[in-house]
Amino acid sequence: MPCGCVVAAYLGLQLVSGYPRTVSFEIESWANNSWGLHNIDRHSVRGTVMIYSDGSRANKVSSTYFRHYFVSNGDLAAHTIYLRPANAMYDVDNQKRSATYHRCSCTWDEPLISESSGVLCDAVAQAHLGKARRVSQGMVASIKVVRYESSTSDAREEAAFAPDRNCELLEKVRTTYNTLTLPTSRYRFTVRSYSLGEPSHEFRFPPPGYAVKEGRRY
């Protein structure tokens, strides 16, 4: 069973530590569960991650699931704060204006951003995509990126890496296909805003006035 603090610290996101920054992102994905167009599940995610120089993180993420592509099937929200030096976390409930403080019972090696530098990101692209080829340059969130793509008989992946940000991944698209070469699923991660620098200290704690209780060890 995965450590609860790891899940809360990263929320399954691709944004790793390495230097302080604030990143807002979107994830859009869909999957076709039949041969027709009537049974498509879609998932929409929006969020902001604040990463501190000591490895602490604050995550605010909201998501909506859709059945048949357009019919809303439920909303979820997560607000977690992981404190790296203390190895502890807050699980924040903004609707109830409360938070639960958990001490972590596990430790782990902190995933770090690549130390790559230079005008290209070939090595990082190969690590993410396998056999990838460079296709173009462009901009994502006002940051210069180099775009790569790779493909197999049933999938195609595209990704954009920022040479001036240690080749950090700023965009990724994966599309799968059936035997008739029709798309069966699509996932897209995109960074919408990116700000270097230490985030405000206030985001390391629940908002003022929230009731805080101590929960079980994770």
Side-chain angles (χ1 to χ4, degrees), residues 188-201:
R188 180 172 184 174
F189 162 83
T190 307
V191 168
R192 291 304 184 192
S193 66
Y194 191 111
S195 178
L196 284 174
E198 195 79 7
S200 174
H201 183 71

Side-chain angles (χ1 to χ4, degrees), residues 33-83:
N33 301 309
S34 72
W35 282 93
L37 300 175
H38 64 283
N39 192 18
I40 298 177
D41 290 338
R42 182 163 62 96
H43 187 198
S44 179
V45 181
R46 304 287 185 275
T48 299
V49 177
M50 285 157 276
I51 300 171
Y52 294 82
S53 55
D54 64 3
S56 298
R57 302 165 68 91
N59 311 288
K60 296 186 74 173
V61 177
S62 61
S63 64
T64 303
Y65 290 90
F66 298 88
R67 292 283 294 164
H68 308 295
Y69 200 85
F70 295 111
V71 181
S72 177
N73 195 43
D75 299 315
L76 293 174
H79 181 183
T80 61
I81 302 166
Y82 174 68
L83 305 174

Side-chain angles (χ1 to χ4, degrees), residues 74-202:
D75 299 315
L76 293 174
H79 181 183
T80 61
I81 302 166
Y82 174 68
L83 305 174
R84 181 76 181 177
N87 197 28
M89 60 155 287
Y90 291 99
D91 186 4
V92 183
D93 188 326
N94 290 301
Q95 287 191 332
K96 296 182 178 179
R97 296 178 58 84
S98 65
T100 304
Y101 179 79
H102 299 276
R103 301 179 190 276
C104 303
S105 58
C106 56
T107 59
W108 61 90
D109 293 329
E110 184 180 15
L112 299 174
I113 199 168
S114 165
E115 295 183 357
S116 297
S117 60
V119 296
L120 300 174
C121 298
D122 291 3
V124 175
Q126 301 297 330
H128 276 268
L129 303 177
K131 190 176 181 180
R133 65 185 185 95
R134 196 182 324 128
V135 292
S136 66
Q137 297 185 6
M139 304 289 286
V140 174
S142 301
I143 298 171
K144 181 177 68 176
V145 296
V146 181
R147 298 184 181 277
Y148 294 79
E149 69 174 28
S150 67
S151 60
T152 63
S153 60
D154 60 357
R156 179 184 178 189
E157 289 188 278
E158 305 164 71
F161 303 92
D164 296 338
R165 300 290 186 271
N166 294 88
C167 290
E168 184 169 5
L169 176 69
L170 298 191
E171 187 171 77
K172 186 172 185 178
V173 180
R174 176 178 171 81
T175 307
T176 62
Y177 302 88
N178 61 20
T179 55
L180 299 178
T181 68
L182 297 174
T184 56
S185 69
R186 191 171 192 267
Y187 167 93
R188 180 172 184 174
F189 162 83
T190 307
V191 168
R192 291 304 184 192
S193 66
Y194 191 111
S195 178
L196 284 174
E198 195 79 7
S200 174
H201 183 71
E202 67 181 291

